[in-house]
Each structure stands twice: as C-alpha cells, then as structure tokens.
Amino acid sequence: AQSVAQPEDQVNVAEGNPLTVKCTYSVSGNPYLFWYVQYPNRGLQFLLKYITGDNLVKGSYGFEAEFNKSQTSFHLKKPSALVSDSALYFCAVRETGANNLFFGTGTRLTVIP
Amino acid sequence: GAGVSQSPSNKVTEKGKDVELRCDPISGHTALYWYRQSLGQGLEFLIYFQGNSAPDKSGLPSDRFSAERTGGSVSTLTIQRTQQEDSAVYLCASSTGQGAGQPQHFGDGTRLSIL
C-alpha cells in the first residue's frame, strides 16, 4: 500500500533563506512522486514530479526536489524563499498500476519578511 | 488557456438534501478524478474516470455518493441525503492519458457546507 509522510505541519523561514519541506514515502515498486502547492481558496497547482532519471528535479517558481531512493525521501527545496511562497504544500505518490494520487497531510510554509 | 472548471464554487444546503457538483476538465484530457479535502481527513481520492473504461469507484465513502461522466468530458458528482460529515471541499482534476507520471491539473473546488 502506498503512503506519504510529511513530518512537519508548519515550516517557517525568513525571506531570502533556503527552504526545505520534507516528504518520505512508501510504495510497492518504483514510485511516481509529485509536489503540489495550494493557495487559499484555490485548487492544487502542480510544481514538479519525479518519474525516473536524475535524482534532482527542477520545477516551477524556482522549486526543486531531490529523490533519494535509499532514504525513500523526496524533499522540496528552494535556494531563496519569497514571501509569495507562503502556502500549503502537498507531497503525493502514485504506485505503478494505481489510478489515484495518495497525498501527504500537507505542510504550511510561512516565509517571514 | 482554460483550466479545470468547477461549479458551484460554494454550496450550502440542509442535511438530507441531494447535491450535484460539476466539473469541466481541460479539453482533450481523458482522465478525470474527484478528491475530497477536509480538515480531519486531508485529501482523499473518490473516483477516477479514464476514457470509456469503467470508473474506479474504490474511494467513494458510501452508496450515497455517485458520479458520472458524460461524453468523456463533463463530470457530475452527486451526494444523496447529505450528512454533516459530507462538509468538505470537493476537488476535480484531469490529466492526459493513462500514464501514471502525468500530472493532474486541479480545479479550484466546490466548498460544500451541510447545515
């Protein structure tokens, strides 16, 4: 069975500092991993995905994520945080053969000016 | 370009009433998903449509929930005899093809409140 853990409900970071939002996963077989961001009263916006290939994946708005197979992690990173990055971030996994995404519980990122 | 469109954006109804939620996917997207987002349960998968195949209904929480997709495009999620625990944001998403690596594109959701 697939599962995703986002261990931090809340992450605070100062503007201009690097940010990391953590995600670990458990799936059978090779994972398809995704990060989404949600702004207030909006749906989820796709940021980036890992399917295969390079472990460092680059996505929208300067975000990137590093796939680590041995640690079963897929942490989201950004070198320099912006106040506008403040939002709710979801990590999601999809198993081969599964029809749906399985989401983590979300991490609220607050970037402090 | 046009994204996934959901209507209504907000719905308030009395317990016991039936509600219908509508989703217009991105044109050309053959896969369509419904999810429910609530404070206590996070994001839960409800149902999946792919082309003309039989839908995957494995996430529907009870037989009060049903969904259909007409002509491979617009989808309607129906909740009969609504209960207070049905209060949530109902999100629709669509994607191209069947590939598991295809990102799902979400609408802004319908916020359902049961009084």
Side-chain angles (χ1 to χ4, degrees):
Chain A
Q2 52 193 351
S3 67
V4 176
Q6 292 182 244
E8 300 157 318
D9 291 336
Q10 173 81 43
V11 169
N12 297 325
V13 63
E15 185 178 21
N17 282 4
L19 69 87
T20 299
V21 183
K22 296 180 181 177
C23 172
T24 59
Y25 66 90
S26 174
V27 296
S28 301
N30 294 323
Y32 298 91
L33 294 159
F34 303 82
W35 275 102
Y36 285 83
V37 60
Q38 186 177 34
Y39 295 98
N41 299 313
R42 301 297 303 275
L44 278 68
Q45 293 181 31
F46 169 71
L47 280 178
L48 51 79
K49 67 179 181 181
Y50 173 83
I51 305 302
T52 187
D54 288 342
N55 289 341
L56 185 64
V57 177
K58 294 189 183 295
S60 305
Y61 312 120
F63 284 93
E64 57 190 28
E66 186 168 11
F67 172 66
N68 187 315
K69 187 172 183 178
S70 62
Q71 296 185 6
T72 61
S73 67
F74 190 56
H75 301 331
L76 181 71
K77 300 177 186 243
K78 187 173 182 181
S80 178
L82 300 173
V83 173
S84 57
D85 293 330
S86 298
L88 188 56
Y89 290 80
F90 289 96
C91 180
V93 66
R94 185 170 181 174
E95 278 186 333
T96 305
N99 289 326
N100 59 289
L101 290 172
F102 192 88
F103 288 89
T105 51
T107 298
R108 185 164 300 280
L109 173 69
T110 300
V111 180
I112 302 163
Chain B
V4 176
S5 178
Q6 291 188 245
S7 60
S9 54
N10 286 283
K11 176 72 176 179
V12 181
T13 193
E14 294 179 345
K15 176 182 172 181
K17 300 286 189 182
D18 297 351
V19 294
E20 285 190 353
L21 313 180
R22 177 186 167 104
C23 173
D24 274 285
I26 293 172
S27 178
H29 280 192
T30 58
L32 187 146
Y33 309 78
W34 283 97
Y35 293 86
R36 178 168 71 175
Q37 185 175 21
S38 56
L39 283 176
Q41 302 296 323
L43 274 155
E44 304 170 272
F45 165 72
L46 297 177
I47 190 168
Y48 162 73
F49 295 90
Q50 170 57 50
N52 295 321
S53 303
D56 175 357
K57 304 179 182 180
S58 60
L60 294 178
S62 78
D63 58 8
R64 296 186 296 105
F65 287 73
S66 63
E68 62 179 22
R69 189 178 184 192
T70 54
S73 181
V74 172
S75 177
T76 302
L77 177 69
T78 300
I79 309 173
Q80 296 178 311
R81 304 180 304 281
T82 52
Q83 304 294 313
Q84 287 188 330
E85 61 263 27
D86 299 335
S87 295
V89 177
Y90 290 82
L91 294 167
C92 177
S94 69
S95 70
T96 62
Q98 290 180 285
Q102 297 299 322
Q104 296 175 22
H105 300 272
F106 285 78
D108 286 340
T110 294
R111 184 174 299 276
L112 178 63
S113 300
I114 310 299
L115 302 179

